[in-house]
Amino acid sequence: MSTPRILVVGGSAAGPKAAARAKRLNQDAQVTLIQKAPELSMASCGYPYYVSGHFDNRNALLCTPTGVVRNPAFFAGAKGVEAVVETEVTAIDRAAKTVWCKHLPSGETSVRPYDKLILCTGASPRVPPIPGRELRGVTTLHAMRDADYLRTVRDEGKAKRAVIVGGGLIGVEACEALREAGLDVTVVELLPQVLMFLDWEMARHVENHMRAKGAAVMLNNGVAEFLGQDGALTGVRLNDGTHLPCDVAVVAIGVAPNVALARDAGLEIGVTGGIAVSEHMQTSDPDIYAAGDCVEVLQRITGKKTLAPYGDLANLEGRVAGENCVLGNVARFPGTIHSGICKAFDFTAGSVGLSERRAKEEGFSVVTAINASPDKPGFMGAKLLISKMVADAATGRILGFQCLGPGDASRQLAAMSMAVSHGATVADVCMADMPYAPPFSLAIDHFIATAHILENKMRGLLDGLSSVEVQAMLNNGSRPFLLDARSPEEFEEMRLGQGETLIPLGQLRKRLDDLPQDKAAPIVAYCKISMRGYEAQRVLNHLGWTNVKVMEGGLMAWPFAREK
Amino acid sequence: MSTPRILVVGGSAAGPKAAARAKRLNQDAQVTLIQKAPELSMASCGYPYYVSGHFDNRNALLCTPTGVVRNPAFFAGAKGVEAVVETEVTAIDRAAKTVWCKHLPSGETSVRPYDKLILCTGASPRVPPIPGRELRGVTTLHAMRDADYLRTVRDEGKAKRAVIVGGGLIGVEACEALREAGLDVTVVELLPQVLMFLDWEMARHVENHMRAKGAAVMLNNGVAEFLGQDGALTGVRLNDGTHLPCDVAVVAIGVAPNVALARDAGLEIGVTGGIAVSEHMQTSDPDIYAAGDCVEVLQRITGKKTLAPYGDLANLEGRVAGENCVLGNVARFPGTIHSGICKAFDFTAGSVGLSERRAKEEGFSVVTAINASPDKPGFMGAKLLISKMVADAATGRILGFQCLGPGDASRQLAAMSMAVSHGATVADVCMADMPYAPPFSLAIDHFIATAHILENKMRGLLDGLSSVEVQAMLNNGSRPFLLDARSPEEFEEMRLGQGETLIPLGQLRKRLDDLPQDKAAPIVAYCKISMRGYEAQRVLNHLGWTNVKVMEGGLMAWPFAREK
């Protein structure tokens, strides 16, 4: 092999991976990694857990699994890669195949030649031009310095109130972190829900849980102004005029790819605003690759380009870019299905593929099912999971899966991530052979049960309504007969309180007189998780009632207020 | 629909599922479930956790998720299914379409007609004709009465020593249960390893862990005789003459399908000894279906018939049988990939698809990789996982995946179960888009890293040896140069002690004189998990050494004794 000079711009996730992979595959290569920040290979997804005090050793964010800090000496010794920190690449001269660098502490500039260039310039948090955003106390949670700042806020213990601007993934994680750090926290979200990767009624469960953990969640509202005194934040004024006093505000309304360097060099920028790359992670200049949060990639379900700024994909993309720039275009990145997961206090919430809302926006005709059931047998310490499966009505292909709750959603989402990636249908998942033992799952794993419900719906065996549809019926005056099929003991413990009639499933066949005598009257049957609601529907359909629906997921998936 | 009479024989897992599904899909059907035991729908996979004292409420093994015991009254009221317990079906008259029943407590016999019959007769534990097997204290762990007996042993606290005959899944679970119950436990296994779904070197880690938890594991040995006094067990004599005193012996050497009823009725029995069924779970008699541990099903990877007596599959098969017997053959069961998982003290161990040994037996030319690495970042409380991936060398299709350790193997196995089911290749898994956040996984999820190692091997970038192969080299005298690439601190803490040379990776390029000067000399490089071992190989190959191997999984995957 020749001795190519490979320059990698960006030292967070994609960059170090690309650099290390390139060097491993061509030991002759001179690989240089240029990083703007003082740190390298930061585990930035771990910042919230450092801020919260879940762990105290800052170096843990910068270490290998064996505890070695990934500094320039480490990169030189262990990886054979020259790492240059606190240095910004300010311009690319594609004709000369050089980049202009600026050493930030000294201001000195230099020019470095390359044979292959890999851009891993990442993304920057969006901060809208809200008045007061320069005040002390207004921050993001994106860079190591942000984590350091918020950790100091925690350790000093002076700040009492925080506002999180944005209820996305980082916003929810920041909410937990600062709540755990002892602050009163309010999340302010412009949209009608948190965690937009979830459908509305699923996100609502997360909001309820956040409130149960003492966080305030304000939806359909935004920050109009940061208010301050002597240069320090004292509060925020919301769009609706509300004034919230606070000492800290974390702006977490998403990120935008850093493409200025690429754009200024004349590289193609994609429709989504990310750097356009091929499946080989090659830009419009064959000698320049790009990877990580700065690029747009293929959405495997829609076939469209998308931004997918996730730490795991950055690593995979960096691996492909690093390999291809030394071996030619042999490796390919197949794209994303937008798998995501987050911890929100005692809840896990995640999604793979498309939500119902997104699938409809993409023009799919969808069928969906909601399932609320435990993650494992009761005798093994079952915890609740609520999931929603979205499939293409025409083909049965699963388009997406959401799962949340205190239970082990990680296993469910991991399995469904692979299923969705491989184009699995509802029928496939109905008969999935999963590793089963009571410490890990139910005999019929939670997501398989969700597929069973969806298959029953698709075949007309189960006629389901979501909680949102039932709520809409109650609101619009078309009052259905609500049939609660549980036991009297369960009814005393918890109930909707919407005028429902309790008829335990075991008594249903004997208490037909208690049902509407008009066989076409709308009936909504449910129970705790609506297994008994489904049984009730099958019985009543057989006995001639023609308009019986099952409220999917039952009371456990009901996201609105209950009587008790 | 007509009013078919559906008889289901067997009330454990497949039977109740089949009965309930059939009734739901045809409310006109008269569905009767005939069960030999007094209990119905027992969560038999939960017996070990009842025996251990993990929970105390026996009814929890017999309840719905909402706490209702699944007795005949429950089946009648909630499911519309007549359940008849303590009744054995002794014969089938296929011409008359009747079954002969015997009520066990009274001995009364009766004849019941059927239109469709579903056989869910399960399996029985194999108990070889060892002298003394009738002694009090010799038991299996299969039926509710076995669980009751062993729970009594625990609660009485008189028994001190137990021998488990067989180191399979039930044997390992029984070992944990009785150890947790306070007994001294010895597992005696005829084969050279426990948990035959794992390859030998993987099983060895489980054995080491069991021993660390105070259990004795004796391999390549069997029980020749149960010894007793006054009709009660006092010990066992092993094949090699060893005498082990004990108060309890649990025979757990596997199960055999219960096919006598089917065979006597002239139904086809398959090559494996299970009842032969189509993908519709239909036997050779179109009016008779079968499901659960008594049938043989398709192994999806080999295309051959196999026995797969797992509780989760019994439910899925029962669902298919119940549906097809009322709707015609509309549902199909696609078969098994032999997914399995078990808890062994603080370890989880599981497998999907074929082990290397099984794959070779099936004639595949295989490539494998072993990976030892944490399940999540160190700052989130990382725990070790060791995994092994087996792929078809010709196509790259993944044939199997094993994973074990104290970490969250359930997520790994769940994802790989779906990948293997869908025919994923190593390349597919290398670029899998998984839901990532630090509380749940590494940025490059453990099993993806395993695929990366395997891909590197398949492409000749990494030349790996398993611990077993290295051990064989050390034993056969072809002493390789062992290069430990860790730090001196790590070396002091833990090391092989096989004459290895410590050269920290960062110093490797400067310490070439410490290496064999014969560039063709065999070198085996490793570190804690062999990431640095791999880097060392890349460097040395580049510098002209031609026979450098990486010991896969490093010290963490080394299953033999170490110096420290």
Side-chain angles (χ1 to χ4, degrees), chain B residues 44-52 125-127 138-151 164 169-178 249-255:
Chain B
S44 52
C45 300
Y47 295 163
Y49 307 97
Y50 177 59
V51 169
S52 72
R126 294 179 195 271
V127 181
V138 180
T139 183
T140 56
L141 181 46
H142 186 77
M144 192 72 222
R145 64 177 177 277
D146 299 334
D148 287 334
Y149 170 71
L150 289 170
R151 174 69 194 218
I164 313 289
L169 204 139
I170 303 294
V172 168
E173 289 179 345
C175 169
E176 177 185 345
L178 292 177
V250 181
V251 179
I253 59 166
V255 297

Side-chain angles (χ1 to χ4, degrees), chain A residues 7-9 92 99 114-119 287-290:
Chain A
L7 267 187
V8 181
V9 184
I92 305 166
V99 299
Y114 68 82
D115 294 300
K116 300 286 180 189
L117 181 65
I118 307 180
L119 299 178
D287 292 322
I288 305 180
Y289 290 77

Side-chain angles (χ1 to χ4, degrees), chain A residues 21 24 27-28 79 312 323 336-337 339 410-411 417 433-434 443 455-456 459 535 538 542, chain B residues 21 24 28 79 312 319 323 336-337 339 410-411 417 433-434 443 455-456 459 535 538 542:
Chain A
R21 178 80 175 161
R24 273 198 292 275
Q27 292 285 335
D28 279 321
K79 303 289 176 183
D312 57 330
E323 175 164 344
T336 181
I337 55 166
S339 296
S410 173
R411 170 181 163 114
S417 178
D433 181 2
M434 294 295 291
E455 189 188 53
N456 285 337
R459 291 177 50 197
E535 297 273 4
R538 297 300 302 167
H542 174 247
Chain B
R21 179 78 174 162
R24 274 197 292 276
D28 279 321
K79 303 288 177 182
D312 58 329
R319 189 174 189 267
E323 176 164 344
T336 181
I337 55 168
S339 296
S410 173
R411 171 182 162 113
S417 178
D433 180 2
M434 292 296 291
E455 189 188 52
N456 285 337
R459 292 177 51 196
E535 297 274 4
R538 298 300 303 169
H542 174 247

Side-chain angles (χ1 to χ4, degrees), chain B residues 122-403:
Chain B
S124 294
R126 294 179 195 271
V127 181
I130 302 170
R133 64 176 168 153
E134 73 292 343
L135 289 165
R136 266 197 324 280
V138 180
T139 183
T140 56
L141 181 46
H142 186 77
M144 192 72 222
R145 64 177 177 277
D146 299 334
D148 287 334
Y149 170 71
L150 289 170
R151 174 69 194 218
T152 304
V153 165
R154 172 194 179 274
D155 292 345
E156 289 181 351
K158 292 180 206 153
K160 300 300 175 201
R161 285 170 293 201
V163 166
I164 313 289
V165 187
L169 204 139
I170 303 294
V172 168
E173 289 179 345
C175 169
E176 177 185 345
L178 292 177
R179 188 87 192 102
E180 298 282 312
L183 281 76
D184 285 336
V185 181
T186 301
V187 176
V188 179
E189 168 60 58
L190 207 53
L191 296 165
Q193 68 169 85
V194 301
L195 297 177
M196 281 298 288
F197 58 77
L198 299 174
D199 281 314
W200 184 87
E201 77 278 16
M202 296 293 282
R204 181 103 183 190
H205 292 287
V206 181
E207 294 155 17
N208 291 343
H209 179 66
M210 291 167 71
R211 291 187 178 110
K213 287 288 173 175
V217 181
M218 303 181 72
L219 302 170
N220 301 301
N221 215 336
V223 171
E225 187 180 358
F226 294 109
L227 309 169
Q229 195 169 0
D230 303 329
L233 182 73
T234 57
V236 296
R237 184 170 56 78
L238 301 185
N239 290 346
D240 70 352
T242 305
H243 173 255
L244 294 178
C246 65
D247 315 296
V248 180
V250 181
V251 179
I253 59 166
V255 297
N258 294 328
V259 299
L261 188 66
R263 178 184 283 127
D264 291 348
L267 297 179
E268 187 187 336
I269 305 300
V271 286
T272 67
I275 300 172
V277 289
S278 69
E279 64 179 356
H280 305 296
M281 306 311 293
Q282 195 172 34
T283 69
S284 55
D285 179 333
D287 292 322
I288 305 181
Y289 291 77
D293 293 359
C294 60
V295 305
E296 66 174 26
V297 296
L298 184 71
Q299 216 293 356
R300 294 172 67 170
I301 302 167
T302 64
K304 296 179 183 173
K305 294 293 180 172
T306 188
L307 295 172
Y310 306 121
D312 58 329
L313 297 185
N315 273 281
L316 299 181
E317 293 161 13
R319 189 174 189 267
V320 168
E323 176 164 344
N324 288 342
C325 83
V326 294
L327 298 185
N329 287 339
V330 292
R332 55 181 287 276
F333 177 72
T336 181
I337 55 168
H338 280 299
S339 296
I341 191 169
C342 82
K343 179 173 176 295
F345 298 98
D346 302 335
F347 263 39
T348 298
S351 170
V352 301
L354 306 178
S355 65
E356 179 181 8
R357 182 186 60 248
R358 285 282 299 118
K360 285 178 172 170
E361 286 168 5
E362 290 292 338
F364 287 101
S365 171
V366 302
V367 283
T368 68
I370 288 171
N371 173 26
S373 60
D375 59 350
K376 57 186 83 162
F379 54 80
M380 296 308 289
K383 292 180 181 167
L384 181 71
L385 288 175
I386 303 173
S387 66
K388 178 172 181 175
M389 192 174 282
V390 180
D392 178 34
T395 62
R397 183 187 169 181
I398 299 173
L399 301 172
F401 178 75
Q402 300 158 57
C403 188

